[in-house]
Amino acid sequence: MKVITRMWHGVTKAENADAYLKYVEDTGMRDYRKVKGNLSAKLLRRIDGNVCHFLTVTEWDSYESIKQFAGDDYRKAKYYPGDEDYLLEVEDTVTHYETFEY
């Protein structure tokens, strides 16, 4: 089965790492799992000096399922109103990979 992996990257101040982790759990991670066709949702975090990198890695059964979460322009990153309180920069797009399991 071919899986589509969707990856988003964001950066916060290290001092906001725990608060933003909770925020993403309560918004994006929750919403990913509500969409039919979402196969998994993972949240990676790496504190690097004064900043913290977040990476969401989600797996989907199709691009159509991703559109149910992200909208018709599924390549565009989806943000929530509170993201602007934490993120140091806003990346406009996400990346998608066809993923093959062996």
Side-chain angles (χ1 to χ4, degrees), residues 44-96:
L44 288 68
R45 180 175 88 166
R46 179 175 54 90
I47 296 175
D48 184 14
N50 295 331
V51 298
C52 182
H53 295 267
F54 286 87
L55 187 64
T56 61
V57 181
T58 56
E59 293 180 316
W60 303 83
D61 65 357
S62 68
Y63 286 107
E64 288 304 313
S65 294
I66 295 170
K67 288 178 183 179
Q68 296 302 309
F69 169 76
D72 286 337
D73 189 2
Y74 66 91
R75 291 178 184 93
K76 187 175 170 129
K78 180 175 178 176
Y79 290 99
Y80 294 83
D83 282 317
E84 63 192 35
D85 296 336
Y86 296 103
L87 294 173
L88 299 177
E89 56 192 48
V90 176
E91 296 181 9
D92 293 331
T93 60
V94 298
T95 54
H96 295 91

Side-chain angles (χ1 to χ4, degrees), residues 5-7 18 34 74:
T5 300
R6 176 182 171 96
M7 299 173 70
D18 289 338
K34 288 181 180 178
Y74 66 91

Side-chain angles (χ1 to χ4, degrees), residues 18-29:
D18 289 338
Y20 191 63
L21 176 66
K22 174 78 169 111
Y23 178 76
V24 174
E25 289 171 343
D26 292 343
T27 56
M29 300 307 284

